[in-house]
Amino acid sequence: MTAAGAEYGGALYELAVEEGLEQTILEQLDQVCRLLAENPAYVKLLAMPSVPKAERCAALDEAFGGQAEPYLLNFLKLLCEKGEIRSLPDCRKEYRARYNQAHGILEATAVTAVPMSAGQADALKKKLESITGKTIALTARVEPGCLGGVRLEVEGTQLDGTVKNRLDEMRRLLAATL
């Protein structure tokens, strides 16, 4: 994460808390980041120093005015004026990290070879919540290469119970004994 992303994202979160808008701004920030990720040419335009700042801010007004919270729109304009619009994804990460910490939310990713059923995902989420004592925001990802089992990624820690990992471990043990 960039220093600018941490600083600006933290400042936006503090403002949102003061105004009681942390959930609303988080949702809108996610949507804006998703839209900009889908339109990299627009981000490139917003980051061009050769385009006057007033025109870049007007483009943001046109795109998001009336649809986004004024605080968020002004935040986007500030990033644009400071030449930091490309750090918006890092701002979002910092904002989400502070939001999650304040609300006792822990993000976890479950990686499986085939999609988990809703029941399996719910059971895993409940088990993690009982272990951690926090609300779990579970994301499921499919990677056929793991062959079976589940790999959990929680706060930078990986718990790998996949078949692929077990086979790799057996290979390492066999190679070490030969």
Side-chain angles (χ1 to χ4, degrees):
M1 179 179 310
T2 63
E7 183 177 344
Y8 287 118
L12 179 63
Y13 181 75
E14 290 173 17
L15 173 66
V17 168
E18 286 177 18
E19 299 299 322
L21 295 168
E22 59 259 57
Q23 175 70 35
T24 302
I25 289 181
L26 176 62
E27 290 168 0
Q28 291 180 2
L29 186 58
D30 285 343
Q31 290 174 347
V32 168
C33 285
R34 197 171 17 258
L35 284 170
L36 292 179
E38 292 170 0
N39 299 289
Y42 191 69
V43 176
K44 189 175 181 181
L45 170 79
L46 293 174
M48 280 187 174
S50 61
V51 177
K53 290 178 185 177
E55 287 182 32
R56 290 183 275 159
C57 290
L60 286 168
D61 273 329
E62 189 176 317
F64 301 111
Q67 297 175 29
E69 277 293 326
Y71 292 115
L72 179 57
L73 182 57
N74 288 337
F75 177 75
L76 294 171
K77 290 178 186 178
L78 176 70
L79 289 179
C80 204
E81 289 173 355
K82 298 287 185 182
E84 294 288 350
I85 195 70
R86 291 185 194 271
S87 67
L88 184 61
D90 286 339
C91 296
R92 183 186 151 276
K93 284 180 190 172
E94 179 66 21
Y95 188 102
R96 180 168 290 284
R98 290 190 184 204
Y99 180 88
N100 287 352
Q101 184 177 15
H103 292 88
I105 298 171
L106 189 61
E107 291 186 12
T109 302
V111 181
T112 57
V114 295
M116 287 191 296
S117 69
Q120 290 170 324
D122 190 46
L124 179 59
K125 181 179 174 189
K126 286 180 181 174
K127 182 67 173 175
L128 290 171
E129 286 176 345
S130 72
I131 292 170
T132 63
K134 294 186 176 191
T135 303
I136 299 295
L138 185 64
T139 304
R141 191 171 73 226
V142 175
E143 286 182 15
C146 66
L147 304 177
V150 178
R151 181 176 69 235
L152 284 174
E153 299 166 359
V154 181
E155 286 190 336
T157 302
Q158 212 176 72
L159 305 169
D160 198 338
T162 62
V163 173
K164 180 185 182 321
N165 184 55
R166 291 178 184 166
L167 289 172
D168 289 345
E169 185 62 28
M170 287 174 62
R171 276 189 205 104
R172 283 189 291 273
L173 289 171
L174 287 172
T177 60
L178 296 178

